[in-house]
Amino acid sequence: MIASTPSLTIALHHPHAEEYARLIGQRFPQVRTIVAPDVRRLEACISEVDAILAFQFPAAQFDMANKLRWFQSTGAGVDSFFPVCDRAAHVTVTNARGIHGELIADYVMAGATMLHWDFRRFLREQAEQKWNFRAVTPLAEMTLGVIGLGSIGATIARRAKSAGMRVVGSKRNVAEVIEGVDQLFGPNELDKLLPVCDFVVLAVPSTSDTVGLIGATELSRMRPSAFLINIARGTVIKEAELIDALQSAKIAGALLDVFEREPLPQESPLWTLPNVIVTPHTSGTPTDYTKRFFDIFAENIERYLAGQPLKNVVDVRRGY
């Protein structure tokens, strides 16, 4: 637990550090903020801060953070904290859970439609002024599977169900009812889930259990007509094995917002494969992200100052 104290010093290790400092100063004049968007400035102040706000936790500087008690991530994933978690039981980790779900659901449903209708082909044919008519099966007659039914995955499931789709999903606790999910599978039942899906959406957090979750074996269990959508982390997929499956038509295609290396290297075949849509890790970033995030962060500052439990606490042992 974080001790009740009227004092709070926060290092803002973020590209928008100046904006966050302004917002905090307006609402919490008693809180000290240190603008530290780069490593040099962070290292100069880290020994005196109680909290760090950042998208990626500065693990390399952790041993210098003598007073640190709270890390507030500006994103949903906190895998950047994992390298120090064995030494950081005294640090409370919170994330931005709740911001991303609706926008990512927009992305998934739009992407599923584009893949299913093969809009890349339509655009190529438009550029070539070709009039090629074809019929398409309605999405409402198809099955979408969500692997990882946390806040984001559950939102995707509800949206797919509202489109009339059959929705299946995978999560640890299969006894928990998730709105819009017709059938639940346990985390060790991907061999049963994958073959029944027309679309497979990866929405799991990045943990030791999910690194390399989808490889050649799992891809071989998908239908040749099925599509893979990844809005989780690039490390969830064995990328070389996915490329092989896409090139050899073992699956129909993929929508990928995250990758093993980001930015995606120019030499990656994923850029030019005709059955792939690549986006730059943008699916969960609404235009008013700073405001949405600050609403969560401000509530947590209030709770910290009052000695109350923080919102969106992450169990770093589980990774979410």
Side-chain angles (χ1 to χ4, degrees):
M1 292 293 294
I2 296 175
S4 177
T5 170
S7 174
L8 176 58
T9 299
I10 307 172
L12 305 172
H13 184 51
H14 194 274
H16 297 154
E18 295 280 1
E19 176 67 5
Y20 286 126
R22 182 186 67 80
L23 292 169
I24 294 168
Q26 288 177 344
R27 186 159 171 179
F28 303 100
Q30 75 275 36
V31 171
R32 179 188 178 204
T33 58
I34 302 176
V35 174
D38 56 69
V39 171
R40 179 184 61 81
R41 281 185 278 185
L42 180 67
E43 289 182 344
C45 72
I46 196 169
S47 64
E48 56 187 296
V49 304
D50 306 294
I52 294 175
L53 176 148
F55 179 67
Q56 296 283 334
F57 182 77
Q61 287 73 41
F62 175 71
D63 289 335
M64 304 167 61
N66 303 319
K67 295 177 60 181
L68 186 67
R69 292 296 179 271
W70 171 26
F71 167 53
Q72 171 70 67
S73 170
T74 58
V78 296
D79 40 306
S80 60
F81 190 81
F82 294 168
V84 303
C85 66
D86 288 339
R87 296 179 287 139
H90 59 288
V91 178
T92 299
V93 177
T94 55
N95 68 5
R97 184 170 62 248
I99 292 177
H100 314 83
E102 292 296 339
L103 188 65
I104 291 178
D106 288 349
Y107 173 93
V108 168
M109 295 308 297
T113 301
M114 290 180 70
L115 289 167
H116 178 52
W117 282 76
D118 197 357
F119 265 85
R120 288 196 57 170
R121 178 179 162 189
F122 276 132
L123 293 171
R124 290 194 300 269
E125 291 170 349
Q126 178 182 347
E128 298 167 2
Q129 297 179 322
K130 292 182 177 178
W131 184 276
N132 293 329
F133 175 85
R134 58 185 179 272
V136 179
T137 303
L139 282 177
E141 296 179 12
M142 309 187 85
T143 297
L144 181 140
V146 184
I147 300 177
L149 285 164
S151 175
I152 293 171
T155 304
I156 294 168
R158 288 195 298 272
R159 192 72 66 80
K161 193 63 181 176
S162 72
M165 302 183 77
R166 178 173 182 260
V167 180
V168 300
S170 171
K171 70 186 306 292
R172 285 182 180 274
N173 181 10
V174 295
E176 180 184 357
V177 176
I178 304 294
E179 180 185 350
V181 178
D182 297 294
Q183 185 176 3
L184 276 174
F185 296 86
N188 298 319
E189 296 183 304
L190 292 187
D191 58 330
K192 298 177 182 177
L193 179 150
L194 294 170
V196 304
C197 297
D198 299 294
F199 302 91
V200 175
V201 182
L202 303 178
V204 292
S206 177
T207 69
S208 58
D209 292 334
T210 62
V211 171
L213 180 69
I214 302 298
T217 299
E218 291 72 29
L219 293 165
S220 70
R221 289 177 174 143
M222 291 176 59
R223 298 173 177 176
S225 59
F227 298 97
L228 183 69
I229 299 174
N230 190 11
I231 52 83
R233 284 288 187 268
T235 54
V236 173
I237 297 176
K238 296 175 183 176
E239 205 162 277
E241 295 176 17
L242 172 62
I243 291 169
D244 177 71
L246 291 163
Q247 290 175 329
S248 58
K250 292 175 183 173
I251 64 171
L255 170 64
L256 306 171
D257 191 48
V258 288
F259 305 89
E260 287 180 344
R261 288 175 57 196
E262 296 183 4
L264 181 65
Q266 291 295 308
E267 64 271 17
S268 172
L270 293 171
W271 284 112
T272 54
L273 284 172
N275 54 350
V276 176
I277 299 173
V278 166
T279 57
H281 203 150
T282 191
S283 63
T285 309
T287 52
D288 59 346
Y289 195 98
T290 298
K291 178 187 179 300
R292 289 173 182 245
F293 169 74
F294 187 71
D295 288 344
I296 294 171
F297 188 42
E299 181 177 347
N300 268 345
I301 292 175
E302 290 177 349
R303 289 168 175 257
Y304 186 104
L305 295 174
Q308 298 173 349
L310 301 187
K311 181 179 180 179
N312 283 8
V313 173
V314 176
D315 181 344
V316 293
R317 299 291 177 181
R318 297 173 64 185
Y320 52 92

